[in-house]
Amino acid sequence: MIGILLARIRLFIRKPLTFVIFTGMSIGFALVLGGSGGPAAVHVPLYAEDQEVQDSFIGNALVENETYSFDWTSKAELEERITNGKAEAGAILTNDGYRLIIGVDSPNAALIENTLSDLYRKKHQEEEIMAASGRENQADQEKLLNELRLSQESPVFTISNSHFRGTNTWMYDSTFQTLFGFTLFFVIYTIAYNVLPILIEKKDGIWYRIILSPVKKWEMYTANLLYTFFEGYLQVVIIFLIFRYWVGVDFNGRFIEALLFVIPYVFAIVAMSIFLTALVKTTQQFNAVIPILAISMAMIGGAYWPIEIVESEFLLALSKINPLTYGMEILNGIAVYGFQIDELLFPISILVIMGVVMMGLGIHLMEKRHV
Amino acid sequence: MLELINLSKKFKQVHAVENLNMFIEKGEIIGLLGPNGAGKSTAISMLSSLLEPSSGDVKFNGKSILKNPAPLRDMVGMVPQDIALYSDLTAEENLQFFGRIYNIKGVELKRKIDEVLKLIGLTDRRKDVVKKYSGGMKRRLNIGVALLHEPEFLIMDEPTVGIDPQSRNYILETVKRLNREKQITILYTSHYMEEVEFLCDRIYIMDQGNLIASGTKDEIKSILSAEKVISIKADNMNDAFIGSLKENPLVNRVVVSEKEVTIMAGKEVNIFSPLIKMAEDSQLDLHSLDIKTPTLEDVFLHLTGRALRD
């Protein structure tokens, strides 16, 4: 068994291209389509008619804003950027208020306005409190202002909000959607093309040579499937590591769980590949079937788009026998919905059952049809 | 050593092998001859325990291998018809892999690899990946892999298919040497009768799943003792001449190739006068008339009415 594993590793080192291509494609597609190369910041040009505004807490708060990138600029440049479509919106700030200039009608305009109005409301609130306090001394005023801000940062009591989410509601995160979707999609190819050598070795006679050796048949299957599993899993681990530590995707703080609970999916795909290998007669048939199957699985399994937007009852029924559906359910459950382990047990169990059934049937058929 | 008893294999409605009886003694080189599709590879798969027969038995040293193939598998080396090698690995890596699966390790594995590479003449190319080899080199390595664990019984399924004459001669000499120097028992299948004639002590001839003749070379050729084989060559071989040959009651068999026709006729029959007359009537420019010593090809022709390579 060790000999077979060593040979597979040696062959992998000599020809790593398939693995590299599918890993690269997963990362590339997820980065490009999911925008995970760090969200593209929306730049908002600002012009301060009164210099005081720029130095005030409003100016500081805008510069530190994490959602939008507010850039101080001249009035002419602001107008030019909006006219040329380089900025969706811009704002001219005064001591008393602001003027929002909208170039492109988008949801961002409303959110920018919210941000600005919140800050000015706070400013006016502070000014009114100062006026009501009757303190005229500059030092007293500053002391009061500090106390006020401190009390706002550490309130006497806090109000927390929670939302009920019905069973029909769903959440969408384009980064996770594309990252998980393309990872689970492309790993099908890597795994399938690693099971294919069994068919090739049978055709070439290598398989029969090994049968005649002291190596047991179960060792032959175990070595090949173990290797296939690890190469597929390695691909998933590499992609997730890159997104976690290079791109900076947080996985909802549950990176290790995402890595662990994707294992049943990889196992199910290995089993599906062996089942498919047993059904086809030639490598040409296998090569023809794999893309059709993988793309169909991705389409109805929620890899390309969220399964929740599919309305066809037939497609939804088909998705129930698709391992990719459950793989997405597990990963989205961890990273997007924040499901606990007991809520993930159902898709995990389905994948394990699928894996065991397809593996058993696949090996049985292969034995019956080929040797 | 090995005995096949009424061995049959049926795939759906097709009888690939029917009631095959064979025996192989230790130290022999046995030839299994037959055209493509005769059932040779199916027979080999069954006798090597890779394929379960539909009926019959295979006994190795008196014990059936159907339920317990281990004793045979320990002793057998298989050279399949296809190049059963990892084409992306080097010759040395292939040998290492196949050595390891036979639990040969370390210094012993290295020694055996060196020995095999020397035997098959690939020592200088041991570090080259197999896909860069010529057809003949691949065939030699295909044989080398089967020798690594020093089998007592070697099964070679058409090991010279598709290679140049020089490589073929090298392989044939190697097979002879293995039998002579290492006393390896060899079952050699081929549809090249000259290879089997050169190598084998005894021969089995198969056609359409059936055994149609067996014995030593001389015994098989004696099947044709009552007939003579005549080769007729002409530059303008025509249908009229061939037609008159086929209709002539003195001619038992007619096999036509491009510029040559081979016929069989009774040994006592004077066929030459009628032949010359038929050639004149058909306006054939006779080139030569040769009486040949019967070959295995002629025996096959006699038994089946078809040439071995049809």
Side-chain angles (χ1 to χ4, degrees):
Chain A
M1 189 163 114
I2 301 294
I4 297 172
L5 278 171
L6 287 176
R8 294 296 304 268
I9 292 167
R10 198 170 256 173
L11 285 165
F12 170 69
I13 293 167
R14 198 141 294 167
K15 283 181 88 176
L17 202 61
T18 311
F19 179 83
V20 172
I21 286 174
F22 288 124
T23 308
M25 283 172 83
S26 304
I27 295 166
F29 274 95
L31 281 175
V32 172
L33 298 178
S36 300
V42 175
H43 290 269
V44 181
L46 291 177
Y47 169 67
E49 277 190 348
D50 300 320
Q51 186 60 35
E52 284 172 41
V53 184
Q54 195 168 342
D55 301 330
S56 73
F57 88 95
I58 291 181
N60 293 334
L62 287 173
V63 169
E64 285 166 12
N65 190 290
E66 289 178 354
T67 314
Y68 296 101
S69 173
F70 290 97
D71 317 319
W72 295 108
T73 180
S74 67
K75 193 175 181 182
E77 194 187 332
L78 181 147
E79 286 168 351
E80 189 202 330
R81 280 170 65 181
I82 293 172
T83 310
N84 294 342
K86 288 179 182 168
E88 291 181 25
I92 297 171
L93 310 183
T94 62
N95 270 335
D96 299 328
Y98 62 89
R99 200 146 47 88
L100 189 66
I101 303 169
I102 298 167
V104 179
D105 198 10
S106 75
N108 282 323
L111 292 170
I112 294 165
E113 177 153 27
N114 269 348
T115 309
L116 292 169
S117 68
D118 272 355
L119 289 170
Y120 274 94
R121 186 177 42 75
K122 199 172 169 188
K123 179 176 179 288
H124 292 144
Q125 194 181 32
E126 284 179 4
E127 283 168 359
E128 280 170 22
I129 290 169
M130 297 295 287
S133 72
R135 297 184 189 188
E136 289 176 3
N137 183 303
Q138 176 91 19
D140 286 349
Q141 282 184 355
E142 275 180 17
K143 193 181 169 195
L144 178 65
L145 209 58
N146 285 336
E147 282 171 5
L148 175 68
R149 286 177 184 165
L150 202 66
S151 66
Q152 281 173 338
E153 281 168 19
S154 311
V156 180
F157 61 89
T158 56
I159 299 169
S160 64
N161 296 315
S162 62
H163 304 275
F164 287 102
R165 187 161 50 82
T167 50
N168 291 327
T169 58
W170 57 281
M171 294 158 76
Y172 175 75
D173 183 308
S174 70
T175 302
F176 286 126
Q177 172 64 36
T178 49
L179 167 61
F180 297 152
F182 285 109
T183 302
L184 299 191
F185 169 62
F186 282 113
V187 84
I188 296 174
Y189 288 93
T190 303
I191 291 171
Y193 288 124
N194 267 301
V195 173
L196 182 63
I198 296 179
L199 199 63
I200 296 170
E201 286 179 12
K202 284 192 168 187
K203 186 181 113 338
D204 289 349
I206 295 174
W207 189 259
Y208 305 117
R209 270 193 154 147
I210 302 173
I211 288 174
L212 290 178
S213 77
V215 176
K216 303 276 185 298
K217 223 173 219 180
W218 69 263
E219 291 178 294
M220 294 162 69
Y221 280 111
T222 307
N224 276 292
L225 297 179
L226 211 58
Y227 172 79
T228 304
F229 172 83
F230 278 114
E231 195 178 312
Y233 189 56
L234 178 69
Q235 181 171 321
V236 175
V237 171
I238 288 173
I239 295 166
F240 282 11
L241 280 172
I242 286 174
F243 274 81
R244 174 69 188 86
Y245 294 105
W246 185 50
V247 181
V249 175
D250 183 32
F251 288 81
N252 199 16
R254 297 170 71 186
F255 180 63
I256 300 296
E257 282 167 85
L259 282 182
L260 283 178
F261 293 136
V262 79
I263 287 176
Y265 172 76
V266 177
F267 167 67
I269 297 300
V270 172
M272 188 194 74
S273 302
I274 195 96
F275 181 61
L276 192 69
T277 311
L279 290 181
V280 299
K281 285 182 178 168
T282 62
T283 51
Q284 288 85 352
Q285 282 179 0
F286 188 87
N287 286 330
V289 168
I290 274 297
I292 297 169
L293 186 74
I295 291 169
S296 311
M297 281 172 63
M299 287 167 85
I300 60 169
Y304 292 161
W305 46 73
I307 188 80
E308 289 82 359
I309 65 168
V310 177
E311 289 181 353
S312 159
E313 291 294 323
F314 176 68
L315 291 179
L316 286 171
L318 270 183
S319 74
K320 302 292 177 205
I321 54 164
N322 180 356
L324 208 147
T325 308
Y326 299 101
M328 289 297 288
E329 204 173 314
I330 291 170
L331 291 173
N332 279 327
I334 291 170
V336 180
Y337 292 98
F339 285 166
Q340 293 309 302
I341 293 172
D342 57 333
E343 291 173 283
L344 300 171
L345 280 180
F346 177 72
I348 289 173
S349 309
I350 295 282
L351 285 173
V352 171
I353 290 167
M354 276 182 172
V356 170
V357 170
M358 285 193 286
M359 184 79 78
L361 276 175
I363 292 176
H364 176 75
L365 275 176
M366 203 177 252
E367 283 299 295
K368 210 167 179 182
R369 291 186 58 184
H370 298 293
V371 187
Chain B
M1 187 182 192
L2 191 77
E3 199 178 355
L4 279 63
I5 304 157
N6 293 323
L7 206 60
S8 298
K9 184 68 190 179
K10 194 177 172 186
F11 295 108
K12 291 182 182 168
Q13 298 305 313
V14 181
H15 286 276
V17 172
E18 251 187 310
N19 293 320
L20 180 63
N21 289 285
M22 275 175 72
F23 70 93
I24 300 168
E25 296 293 354
K26 195 170 167 52
E28 282 186 310
I29 304 183
I30 297 294
L32 184 56
L33 193 63
N36 292 329
K40 305 187 298 289
S41 293
T42 306
I44 279 184
S45 294
M46 287 191 286
L47 72 85
S48 60
S49 79
L50 287 172
L51 185 67
E52 199 177 330
S54 304
S55 63
D57 200 358
V58 180
K59 287 186 174 176
F60 182 65
N61 291 333
K63 290 180 183 166
S64 174
I65 63 154
L66 297 187
K67 284 191 178 158
N68 181 22
L72 172 76
R73 289 181 178 181
D74 288 346
M75 301 286 177
V76 78
M78 171 68 109
V79 182
Q81 194 170 339
D82 296 307
I83 305 292
L85 302 166
Y86 290 107
S87 59
D88 288 308
L89 297 184
T90 65
E92 190 169 12
E93 287 167 345
N94 267 285
L95 290 167
Q96 280 169 353
F97 168 73
F98 287 104
R100 276 198 198 103
I101 65 170
Y102 276 94
N103 298 321
I104 309 167
K105 289 168 192 163
V107 181
E108 193 194 1
L109 178 60
K110 195 177 175 309
R111 180 185 62 77
K112 285 190 174 172
I113 289 173
D114 290 343
E115 198 179 308
V116 165
L117 285 169
K118 193 177 168 193
L119 181 77
I120 58 176
L122 290 175
T123 305
D124 295 341
R125 302 289 303 271
R126 63 194 296 160
K127 300 282 184 194
D128 290 354
V129 287
V130 171
K131 65 182 172 194
K132 289 184 180 167
Y133 281 6
S134 68
M137 289 161 76
K138 285 179 189 168
R139 288 269 165 209
R140 273 142 63 189
L141 184 59
N142 208 27
I143 294 170
V145 163
L147 297 172
L148 202 66
H149 63 288
E150 298 180 347
E152 288 183 16
F153 177 37
L154 190 63
I155 299 170
M156 308 181 87
D157 190 4
E158 311 219 15
T160 59
V161 169
I163 57 171
D164 58 282
Q166 198 182 353
S167 293
R168 175 181 292 181
N169 288 340
Y170 190 96
I171 288 173
L172 295 179
E173 287 299 338
T174 306
V175 172
K176 270 265 190 213
R177 202 142 49 95
L178 285 169
N179 174 255
R180 197 172 53 236
E181 292 172 7
K182 301 197 171 191
Q183 287 78 47
I184 298 178
T185 307
I186 295 167
L187 175 64
Y188 191 97
T189 85
S190 179
H191 61 269
Y192 298 118
M193 56 93 191
E194 63 272 18
E195 287 183 2
V196 174
E197 275 196 279
F198 172 73
L199 286 174
C200 302
D201 306 311
R202 285 192 302 116
I203 296 157
Y204 290 86
I205 302 180
M206 285 185 78
D207 186 43
Q208 296 179 340
N210 294 294
L211 192 65
I212 56 172
S214 64
T216 62
K217 277 178 274 191
D218 291 338
E219 282 169 351
I220 288 181
K221 284 177 187 174
S222 72
I223 292 171
L224 285 181
S225 59
E227 288 191 320
K228 57 188 166 203
V229 180
I230 300 164
S231 165
I232 305 161
K233 287 183 183 166
D235 288 334
N236 59 337
M237 190 63 72
N238 59 47
D239 291 342
F241 177 68
I242 293 164
S244 54
L245 281 175
K246 284 181 177 170
E247 282 166 17
N248 194 306
L250 298 176
V251 178
N252 296 338
R253 298 262 184 219
V254 180
V255 177
V256 182
S257 61
E258 201 177 337
K259 284 187 176 177
E260 185 179 7
V261 173
T262 306
I263 63 166
M264 286 178 198
K267 217 163 197 173
E268 308 305 322
V269 173
N270 180 5
I271 191 76
F272 288 98
S273 302
L275 273 179
I276 288 164
K277 185 165 189 321
M278 280 187 273
E280 281 173 2
D281 293 347
S282 313
Q283 296 179 324
L284 193 77
D285 296 330
L286 270 179
H287 202 273
S288 67
L289 285 174
D290 286 332
I291 300 178
K292 296 197 302 182
T293 307
T295 63
L296 292 175
E297 181 100 38
D298 299 323
V299 175
F300 189 81
L301 177 68
H302 169 79
L303 293 171
T304 66
R306 291 182 292 115
L308 196 52
R309 284 160 210 177
D310 280 354

